[in-house]
Amino acid sequence: MNDVGSSSILEIGKYTVLPYMRYHGVRHIDAWFVSHCDIDHVSGLIQLLEKKYPIKKIVFSQKVEKNKNFETIIMEAKKNKVQICYWGKNSSMGNTELRIRCPFIIDKVDQLDANERSMWLEITGTNGFKGLLAGDSSIKVEQEFMKTEKATEISFLKISHHGSKNSSSAYFLNFCKPQIAIISVGRNNRYGHPSKETLERIERQKIPWMQTMDSGQIDLFLDTSTYAQKKINKKYN
């Protein structure tokens, strides 16, 4: 699990996450990854911890901002005997079918906010599947990432910071060349995400994109090259 929260839905853990788990027969979480501790990324985790849902491990970045939400997670995790881990660059877990790795970690965090300290995750699977998630990282952090990595083509990119104009530069989009871009964003959010500027950059790169406020849940499959194909075909054909 990665980053479950909401700043507008008060009990997303109770009314969204737990019903989803029960429907799919998920009885525990092996690892819950936290990009950063803003409430819209962790409220669901806090609520499940309070309800003592079985979680084996919570994973933070070594550079995580230790704010009030972080302290609450640590307190509840200790009550439930949940293991706490701090990942650095190249920390990973999984197997050949599914591996999760931290490909990048920002070194200098002076004057960086919680968003810019977000943990990056790379997801790789069968048939060359490769996805990238970067929390709420800014263009400034994307530039640092590109200094350490080689340009590549990935299966999907989760657009950072819900489509903020201060993330997902044209250079970064061209660097990653995602087959599809996914935007996780709530309808009528007070920030106006996704921004017109970000959508224009994605369209200019001719990257198919989808957003959760239109499509709801978006499924990506590790064993096929036709990611979310039905919904993409409906939108683009």
CSV table of all heavy atoms in Angstrom, one decimal, residues 34-39 41-43 45-46 49 58-78 84-87 114 117:
chain,number,residue,atom,x,y,z
A,34,VAL,N,5.0,5.3,2.8
A,34,VAL,CA,4.6,6.7,3.0
A,34,VAL,C,5.5,7.6,2.3
A,34,VAL,O,6.7,7.7,2.7
A,34,VAL,CB,4.5,7.0,4.6
A,34,VAL,CG1,4.1,8.5,4.8
A,34,VAL,CG2,3.6,6.1,5.3
A,35,SER,N,5.0,8.3,1.3
A,35,SER,CA,5.9,9.2,0.6
A,35,SER,C,6.3,10.4,1.5
A,35,SER,O,7.4,10.8,1.5
A,35,SER,CB,5.3,9.7,-0.7
A,35,SER,OG,4.2,10.6,-0.4
A,36,HIS,N,5.3,11.0,2.2
A,36,HIS,CA,5.5,12.0,3.2
A,36,HIS,C,4.2,12.1,4.0
A,36,HIS,O,3.2,11.4,3.7
A,36,HIS,CB,5.8,13.3,2.5
A,36,HIS,CG,4.7,13.9,1.6
A,36,HIS,ND1,4.2,13.2,0.5
A,36,HIS,CD2,4.0,15.0,1.7
A,36,HIS,CE1,3.2,13.9,0.0
A,36,HIS,NE2,3.1,15.0,0.7
A,37,CYS,N,4.3,12.9,5.1
A,37,CYS,CA,3.2,12.8,6.1
A,37,CYS,C,2.2,13.9,6.0
A,37,CYS,O,1.5,14.2,7.1
A,37,CYS,CB,3.9,12.7,7.5
A,37,CYS,SG,4.8,11.2,7.7
A,38,ASP,N,1.9,14.5,4.9
A,38,ASP,CA,0.8,15.4,4.8
A,38,ASP,C,-0.5,14.6,5.0
A,38,ASP,O,-0.6,13.4,4.6
A,38,ASP,CB,0.8,16.1,3.4
A,38,ASP,CG,1.8,17.3,3.4
A,38,ASP,OD1,2.4,17.5,4.4
A,38,ASP,OD2,1.9,17.9,2.3
A,39,ILE,N,-1.5,15.2,5.5
A,39,ILE,CA,-2.7,14.5,5.9
A,39,ILE,C,-3.4,13.8,4.8
A,39,ILE,O,-4.0,12.8,4.9
A,39,ILE,CB,-3.7,15.4,6.7
A,39,ILE,CG1,-4.8,14.6,7.4
A,39,ILE,CG2,-4.3,16.4,5.7
A,39,ILE,CD1,-4.2,13.7,8.5
A,41,HIS,N,-2.1,12.3,2.5
A,41,HIS,CA,-1.4,11.1,2.1
A,41,HIS,C,-1.4,10.0,3.2
A,41,HIS,O,-1.0,8.9,3.0
A,41,HIS,CB,0.1,11.4,1.8
A,41,HIS,CG,0.2,12.2,0.5
A,41,HIS,ND1,0.7,11.6,-0.7
A,41,HIS,CD2,-0.2,13.4,0.1
A,41,HIS,CE1,0.6,12.5,-1.7
A,41,HIS,NE2,0.1,13.6,-1.2
A,42,VAL,N,-1.8,10.4,4.5
A,42,VAL,CA,-1.6,9.4,5.6
A,42,VAL,C,-2.9,9.3,6.4
A,42,VAL,O,-2.9,8.4,7.3
A,42,VAL,CB,-0.4,9.8,6.5
A,42,VAL,CG1,0.9,9.8,5.7
A,42,VAL,CG2,-0.7,11.2,7.2
A,43,SER,N,-3.9,10.0,6.2
A,43,SER,CA,-5.1,9.9,7.1
A,43,SER,C,-5.7,8.5,7.1
A,43,SER,O,-6.1,8.0,8.2
A,43,SER,CB,-6.2,10.9,6.8
A,43,SER,OG,-6.7,10.6,5.5
A,45,LEU,N,-4.0,5.7,6.6
A,45,LEU,CA,-3.1,4.8,7.4
A,45,LEU,C,-3.3,5.0,8.9
A,45,LEU,O,-3.4,4.1,9.7
A,45,LEU,CB,-1.6,5.2,7.1
A,45,LEU,CG,-0.5,4.6,8.0
A,45,LEU,CD1,-0.6,3.1,8.0
A,45,LEU,CD2,0.8,5.1,7.5
A,46,ILE,N,-3.4,6.3,9.4
A,46,ILE,CA,-3.7,6.6,10.8
A,46,ILE,C,-4.9,5.9,11.3
A,46,ILE,O,-5.0,5.3,12.3
A,46,ILE,CB,-3.7,8.1,11.0
A,46,ILE,CG1,-2.3,8.7,10.8
A,46,ILE,CG2,-4.2,8.4,12.4
A,46,ILE,CD1,-2.3,10.2,10.8
A,49,LEU,N,-4.5,2.1,11.6
A,49,LEU,CA,-3.7,1.8,12.8
A,49,LEU,C,-4.6,1.9,14.0
A,49,LEU,O,-4.5,1.1,14.9
A,49,LEU,CB,-2.5,2.8,12.8
A,49,LEU,CG,-1.4,2.5,11.9
A,49,LEU,CD1,-0.4,3.7,11.9
A,49,LEU,CD2,-0.7,1.2,12.2
A,58,ILE,N,5.8,-0.4,8.2
A,58,ILE,CA,5.5,0.9,7.6
A,58,ILE,C,6.9,1.5,7.1
A,58,ILE,O,7.9,1.4,7.9
A,58,ILE,CB,4.9,1.9,8.6
A,58,ILE,CG1,3.5,1.4,9.0
A,58,ILE,CG2,4.8,3.3,8.0
A,58,ILE,CD1,2.8,2.2,10.1
A,59,VAL,N,7.0,2.0,5.9
A,59,VAL,CA,8.2,2.4,5.3
A,59,VAL,C,8.2,3.9,5.0
A,59,VAL,O,7.4,4.4,4.3
A,59,VAL,CB,8.5,1.6,4.0
A,59,VAL,CG1,9.9,2.0,3.4
A,59,VAL,CG2,8.4,0.1,4.2
A,60,PHE,N,9.2,4.6,5.6
A,60,PHE,CA,9.4,6.0,5.4
A,60,PHE,C,10.7,6.3,4.7
A,60,PHE,O,11.6,5.4,4.7
A,60,PHE,CB,9.5,6.8,6.7
A,60,PHE,CG,8.2,6.8,7.6
A,60,PHE,CD1,8.2,6.0,8.7
A,60,PHE,CD2,7.2,7.6,7.3
A,60,PHE,CE1,7.0,5.9,9.5
A,60,PHE,CE2,6.0,7.6,8.1
A,60,PHE,CZ,6.0,6.8,9.2
A,61,SER,N,10.8,7.4,4.1
A,61,SER,CA,12.1,7.9,3.6
A,61,SER,C,13.0,8.2,4.8
A,61,SER,O,12.5,8.7,5.8
A,61,SER,CB,12.0,9.1,2.7
A,61,SER,OG,13.2,9.8,2.5
A,62,GLN,N,14.3,8.1,4.6
A,62,GLN,CA,15.3,8.5,5.6
A,62,GLN,C,15.2,10.1,5.8
A,62,GLN,O,15.6,10.6,6.9
A,62,GLN,CB,16.7,8.2,5.2
A,62,GLN,CG,17.0,6.7,5.2
A,62,GLN,CD,18.4,6.4,4.7
A,62,GLN,OE1,19.0,7.2,4.1
A,62,GLN,NE2,18.8,5.1,4.9
A,63,LYS,N,14.7,10.8,4.8
A,63,LYS,CA,14.6,12.2,4.9
A,63,LYS,C,13.2,12.7,5.3
A,63,LYS,O,12.9,13.9,5.1
A,63,LYS,CB,15.0,12.8,3.6
A,63,LYS,CG,16.4,12.4,3.1
A,63,LYS,CD,17.5,12.9,4.0
A,63,LYS,CE,18.9,12.5,3.4
A,63,LYS,NZ,20.0,13.0,4.2
A,64,VAL,N,12.3,11.9,5.7
A,64,VAL,CA,10.9,12.2,6.0
A,64,VAL,C,10.9,13.4,7.0
A,64,VAL,O,11.7,13.4,8.0
A,64,VAL,CB,10.1,11.0,6.6
A,64,VAL,CG1,10.7,10.5,7.9
A,64,VAL,CG2,8.6,11.4,6.7
A,65,GLU,N,9.9,14.3,6.8
A,65,GLU,CA,9.7,15.4,7.8
A,65,GLU,C,8.9,14.8,8.9
A,65,GLU,O,7.8,14.3,8.7
A,65,GLU,CB,9.0,16.5,7.1
A,65,GLU,CG,8.8,17.7,8.0
A,65,GLU,CD,8.1,18.9,7.4
A,65,GLU,OE1,6.9,18.9,7.3
A,65,GLU,OE2,8.8,19.8,6.9
A,66,LYS,N,9.4,15.0,10.1
A,66,LYS,CA,8.8,14.3,11.3
A,66,LYS,C,7.8,15.3,11.9
A,66,LYS,O,8.1,15.9,13.0
A,66,LYS,CB,9.9,13.9,12.3
A,66,LYS,CG,10.8,12.8,11.6
A,66,LYS,CD,11.9,12.3,12.5
A,66,LYS,CE,12.7,11.3,11.9
A,66,LYS,NZ,13.9,10.8,12.7
A,67,ASN,N,6.7,15.5,11.3
A,67,ASN,CA,5.7,16.4,11.8
A,67,ASN,C,4.7,15.7,12.7
A,67,ASN,O,4.9,14.6,13.1
A,67,ASN,CB,4.9,17.1,10.6
A,67,ASN,CG,4.3,16.0,9.7
A,67,ASN,OD1,4.0,14.9,10.1
A,67,ASN,ND2,3.9,16.4,8.5
A,68,LYS,N,3.6,16.4,13.0
A,68,LYS,CA,2.6,15.8,14.0
A,68,LYS,C,2.0,14.5,13.5
A,68,LYS,O,1.8,13.6,14.3
A,68,LYS,CB,1.6,16.9,14.3
A,68,LYS,CG,0.6,16.5,15.4
A,68,LYS,CD,-0.3,17.6,15.8
A,68,LYS,CE,0.4,18.8,16.3
A,68,LYS,NZ,-0.6,19.9,16.8
A,69,ASN,N,1.7,14.5,12.2
A,69,ASN,CA,1.2,13.2,11.6
A,69,ASN,C,2.1,12.1,11.7
A,69,ASN,O,1.8,10.9,12.0
A,69,ASN,CB,0.8,13.4,10.1
A,69,ASN,CG,-0.3,14.5,10.0
A,69,ASN,OD1,-1.2,14.6,10.8
A,69,ASN,ND2,-0.3,15.2,8.9
A,70,PHE,N,3.4,12.4,11.5
A,70,PHE,CA,4.5,11.3,11.6
A,70,PHE,C,4.5,10.8,13.1
A,70,PHE,O,4.5,9.6,13.3
A,70,PHE,CB,5.8,11.9,11.3
A,70,PHE,CG,7.0,11.0,11.6
A,70,PHE,CD1,7.4,10.0,10.7
A,70,PHE,CD2,7.7,11.1,12.8
A,70,PHE,CE1,8.5,9.2,11.0
A,70,PHE,CE2,8.8,10.3,13.1
A,70,PHE,CZ,9.1,9.3,12.2
A,71,GLU,N,4.4,11.7,14.0
A,71,GLU,CA,4.5,11.3,15.4
A,71,GLU,C,3.2,10.4,15.8
A,71,GLU,O,3.4,9.5,16.5
A,71,GLU,CB,4.5,12.5,16.3
A,71,GLU,CG,5.8,13.3,16.2
A,71,GLU,CD,5.8,14.6,16.9
A,71,GLU,OE1,4.7,15.0,17.5
A,71,GLU,OE2,6.8,15.3,17.0
A,72,THR,N,2.1,10.8,15.2
A,72,THR,CA,0.9,10.0,15.5
A,72,THR,C,1.0,8.6,14.9
A,72,THR,O,0.7,7.6,15.5
A,72,THR,CB,-0.3,10.6,14.8
A,72,THR,OG1,-0.5,11.9,15.4
A,72,THR,CG2,-1.6,9.8,15.0
A,73,ILE,N,1.6,8.5,13.7
A,73,ILE,CA,1.8,7.2,13.1
A,73,ILE,C,2.7,6.3,13.9
A,73,ILE,O,2.5,5.1,14.2
A,73,ILE,CB,2.4,7.3,11.6
A,73,ILE,CG1,1.3,7.9,10.7
A,73,ILE,CG2,2.8,6.0,11.1
A,73,ILE,CD1,1.9,8.4,9.4
A,74,ILE,N,3.9,6.9,14.4
A,74,ILE,CA,4.8,6.2,15.2
A,74,ILE,C,4.2,5.7,16.5
A,74,ILE,O,4.3,4.5,16.9
A,74,ILE,CB,6.1,7.1,15.5
A,74,ILE,CG1,6.8,7.4,14.2
A,74,ILE,CG2,7.0,6.4,16.5
A,74,ILE,CD1,7.4,6.2,13.4
A,75,MET,N,3.4,6.6,17.1
A,75,MET,CA,2.7,6.2,18.4
A,75,MET,C,1.8,5.0,18.2
A,75,MET,O,1.8,4.0,18.9
A,75,MET,CB,2.0,7.4,18.9
A,75,MET,CG,1.2,7.1,20.2
A,75,MET,SD,0.3,8.6,20.8
A,75,MET,CE,-1.0,8.7,19.5
A,76,GLU,N,0.9,5.1,17.1
A,76,GLU,CA,0.0,4.0,16.9
A,76,GLU,C,0.7,2.8,16.4
A,76,GLU,O,0.2,1.6,16.7
A,76,GLU,CB,-1.1,4.5,15.8
A,76,GLU,CG,-2.0,5.6,16.3
A,76,GLU,CD,-2.9,5.3,17.4
A,76,GLU,OE1,-3.2,4.1,17.6
A,76,GLU,OE2,-3.2,6.2,18.2
A,77,ALA,N,1.7,2.9,15.6
A,77,ALA,CA,2.5,1.7,15.2
A,77,ALA,C,3.1,1.0,16.4
A,77,ALA,O,3.1,-0.3,16.4
A,77,ALA,CB,3.6,2.1,14.2
A,78,LYS,N,3.6,1.7,17.4
A,78,LYS,CA,4.2,1.1,18.5
A,78,LYS,C,3.1,0.3,19.3
A,78,LYS,O,3.4,-0.8,19.8
A,78,LYS,CB,4.8,2.1,19.4
A,78,LYS,CG,6.2,2.6,18.9
A,78,LYS,CD,6.8,3.7,19.8
A,78,LYS,CE,8.1,4.2,19.3
A,78,LYS,NZ,8.7,5.2,20.2
A,84,ILE,N,8.9,-0.3,11.9
A,84,ILE,CA,9.1,0.9,11.2
A,84,ILE,C,10.4,0.8,10.5
A,84,ILE,O,11.5,0.5,11.1
A,84,ILE,CB,9.1,2.1,12.2
A,84,ILE,CG1,7.8,2.2,12.9
A,84,ILE,CG2,9.5,3.4,11.4
A,84,ILE,CD1,6.6,2.6,12.1
A,85,CYS,N,10.4,1.2,9.2
A,85,CYS,CA,11.6,1.1,8.4
A,85,CYS,C,11.9,2.5,7.7
A,85,CYS,O,10.9,3.2,7.4
A,85,CYS,CB,11.5,0.1,7.2
A,85,CYS,SG,11.3,-1.6,7.8
A,86,TYR,N,13.2,2.8,7.5
A,86,TYR,CA,13.5,4.1,6.8
A,86,TYR,C,14.4,3.7,5.6
A,86,TYR,O,15.5,3.2,5.8
A,86,TYR,CB,14.3,5.0,7.8
A,86,TYR,CG,13.5,5.4,9.0
A,86,TYR,CD1,13.5,4.7,10.2
A,86,TYR,CD2,12.7,6.6,8.9
A,86,TYR,CE1,12.7,5.1,11.3
A,86,TYR,CE2,11.9,7.0,10.0
A,86,TYR,CZ,11.9,6.2,11.2
A,86,TYR,OH,11.2,6.6,12.2
A,87,TRP,N,13.9,4.0,4.5
A,87,TRP,CA,14.6,3.7,3.2
A,87,TRP,C,15.5,4.8,2.7
A,87,TRP,O,15.1,6.0,2.8
A,87,TRP,CB,13.5,3.3,2.1
A,87,TRP,CG,13.1,1.9,2.2
A,87,TRP,CD1,13.3,1.0,3.2
A,87,TRP,CD2,12.5,1.1,1.1
A,87,TRP,NE1,12.7,-0.2,2.8
A,87,TRP,CE2,12.3,-0.2,1.6
A,87,TRP,CE3,12.1,1.5,-0.2
A,87,TRP,CZ2,11.7,-1.1,0.8
A,87,TRP,CZ3,11.5,0.5,-1.0
A,87,TRP,CH2,11.3,-0.8,-0.5
A,114,ALA,N,7.9,19.3,3.3
A,114,ALA,CA,7.5,17.9,3.3
A,114,ALA,C,7.3,17.3,1.9
A,114,ALA,O,7.7,16.2,1.6
A,114,ALA,CB,6.3,17.7,4.2
A,117,ARG,N,10.5,16.5,0.1
A,117,ARG,CA,11.2,15.3,0.8
A,117,ARG,C,10.6,14.0,0.4
A,117,ARG,O,11.0,13.0,0.9
A,117,ARG,CB,11.3,15.5,2.3
A,117,ARG,CG,12.0,16.7,2.8
A,117,ARG,CD,12.1,16.7,4.3
A,117,ARG,NE,12.7,17.9,4.8
A,117,ARG,CZ,13.2,17.9,6.1
A,117,ARG,NH1,13.2,16.8,6.8
A,117,ARG,NH2,13.7,19.0,6.5
